[in-house]
Structure formats: structure tokens, C-alpha cells
Amino acid sequence: AQSVTQPDIHITVSEGASLELRCNYSYGATPYLFWYVQSPGQGLQLLLKYFSGDTLVQGIKGFEAEFKRSQSSFNLRKPSVHWSDAAEYFCAVGARGGATNKLIFGTGTLLAVQP
Amino acid sequence: DTGVSQNPRHKITKRGQNVTFRCDPISEHNRLYWYRQTLGQGPEFLTYFQNEAQLEKSRLLSDRFSAERPKGSFSTLEIQRTEQGDSAMYLCASSPRQGGNSPLHFGNGTRLTVT
């Protein structure tokens, strides 16, 4: 069965510091991979996605993620965090082939940013 | 593109009452999804529509839940005889086409509290 693991429930970083949020997935083949961000009381906004090709993908707001097939990982990174990045981050996988866009989400990582 | 719109934003109801939520997807998106998100968890898939056809329902969608998309535009999610365990954020998403490489666009959700 497909699953997504985000091992870090809560992370605190200082403003200006670098950030890496971990995501591991379990899937029979290489899935489509996504990172979404959710601000309090809001819906989810797509940060970036990986479908194929270059394993380092760039997203909005200065975020990037690297797909590592050997580790079944898709970690999210940002070189310098801003206070406005405080939010909850969700990694998700989608099935290749088939008709559905259904996504399986991880449990999220809550990011706090210290001044 | 006005985004996915959900109403109401918040709903408080007493146990045993019926509630209905509405979702207006991005116009011309023929795929519409409902997800449920409980505190500390990622969104969980409930059901999806292609145009007016409901193509998949999760085991999470008990008999008390029903979703419709009568004209292939807006959708409603009704919960009958609400229970305290139904308290959650209900998220709607849409996408323009089938396939896992078509990202979902989420609304801001309806937060349901059952007292």
C-alpha cells in the first residue's frame, strides 16, 4: 500500500537559517511527488512537484526538493528561512498511470520560525 | 481564476443534526475531490468526481456521508446524524484533467465542530 512518512512532527528554526524537511514514501514504483504548505485555517498550496527528469526540482517561495530513488525520499529544502514560512508542510504521493489524481498525504511537519 | 471556493468556512452543530457543505471548483476543472483533515493529520481522501460522475469513494465515507455534483459544476457534501468524530476540516480540491501529474488546487476548507 502507498504511504508517506514525515518523521518530524515539529521543527523550529531561526530566521535566516537553512531548512530541510524529510519525506519518505512507500510505493511500488516511482510515484508523482508533491509538497504542499498550509497556513493556519487555510487550504493547501502547492509548493512544488516531481514527475520525471531532473531529480532536483524548484518550487515557489524559494523552496526546492530532491528526489532520491535509492532512499525513497523527497526532502524539501530552503537555504534561508523567512518568518512568513511558518506553516505546516505536507508531502504527498500520487499514482502513475490510471485515471485518478488521488493523493496520499503524510501527517505533516509544523514549522516554527524564531526571530 | 478565482480559486476553489468552500462554504461555509465554519460550522458548529449539535450531535445528531445534518450538515451540508458546498464546494465551487475552479471553472472548467472537471475533477473535484473531497478530503477530510483531522487535527495533527494530513488530508485523507474521501471521494472524487469527474464531471457529475462519482468515480471513487473511500472506506472513510460511511453511509451517513453523501456527496453530489449534479451538473458537473459545484458539489455538496452532506453528513447526516453527525457524531463528534465527524469534527474535522473538510477540504475540496479540483483539477483540470485526469492523471497523477495534474496537481490538485485546494479550497480553504470548511471546519466542522460537532458538540
Side-chain angles (χ1 to χ4, degrees):
Chain A
Q2 301 169 29
S3 67
V4 179
T5 302
Q6 294 182 247
D8 304 305
I9 297 173
H10 187 274
I11 285 182
T12 300
V13 299
S14 298
E15 191 169 16
S18 63
L19 171 70
E20 182 168 25
L21 303 182
R22 297 183 290 166
C23 172
N24 293 94
Y25 65 88
S26 174
Y27 191 69
T30 300
Y32 296 122
L33 295 159
F34 305 83
W35 274 99
Y36 282 85
V37 61
Q38 185 178 35
S39 298
Q42 303 296 313
L44 284 77
Q45 181 183 22
L46 179 67
L47 282 177
L48 48 77
K49 56 189 182 291
Y50 172 76
F51 295 156
S52 64
D54 192 346
T55 56
L56 184 64
V57 294
Q58 302 298 320
I60 62 171
K61 303 184 180 185
F63 285 92
E64 65 179 26
E66 185 172 13
F67 167 60
K68 293 186 177 179
R69 185 190 309 272
S70 61
Q71 298 177 18
S72 296
S73 69
F74 188 56
N75 294 350
L76 182 71
R77 301 194 294 247
K78 186 170 185 178
S80 177
V81 169
H82 188 263
W83 64 266
S84 61
D85 294 324
E88 190 152 24
Y89 292 80
F90 293 94
C91 181
V93 300
R96 287 184 184 268
T100 183
N101 301 48
K102 182 175 68 177
L103 299 183
I104 307 298
F105 286 86
T107 52
T109 297
L110 185 63
L111 174 66
V113 181
Q114 288 181 334
Chain B
D1 180 354
T2 57
V4 177
S5 176
Q6 292 188 248
N7 288 287
R9 290 297 309 276
H10 303 275
K11 179 70 176 178
I12 300 174
T13 191
K14 293 185 177 180
R15 186 165 52 93
Q17 298 295 304
N18 299 343
V19 294
T20 300
F21 311 139
R22 176 177 170 127
C23 171
D24 288 89
I26 294 171
S27 56
E28 299 178 358
H29 278 196
N30 60 15
R31 290 265 171 140
L32 187 147
Y33 294 75
W34 286 100
Y35 280 78
R36 182 177 71 185
Q37 185 179 20
T38 53
L39 202 61
Q41 299 297 315
E44 297 172 294
F45 170 78
L46 292 179
T47 188
Y48 88 93
F49 293 83
Q50 178 164 313
N51 299 314
E52 66 275 11
Q54 188 173 18
L55 297 184
E56 187 175 346
K57 293 193 289 188
S58 161
R59 290 181 307 227
L60 296 175
L61 214 64
S62 76
D63 292 345
R64 297 183 297 105
F65 288 68
S66 62
E68 294 182 342
R69 194 182 182 197
K71 296 184 179 179
S73 56
F74 72 92
S75 175
T76 58
L77 178 67
E78 180 182 16
I79 309 175
Q80 296 181 328
R81 305 180 304 281
T82 52
E83 302 173 355
Q84 287 187 323
D86 297 330
S87 295
M89 174 81 89
Y90 290 84
L91 294 164
C92 178
S94 68
S95 70
R97 62 186 184 274
Q98 71 183 42
N101 60 350
S102 180
L104 303 184
H105 300 258
F106 282 87
N108 286 333
T110 294
R111 180 165 296 285
L112 173 66
T113 302
V114 182
T115 62

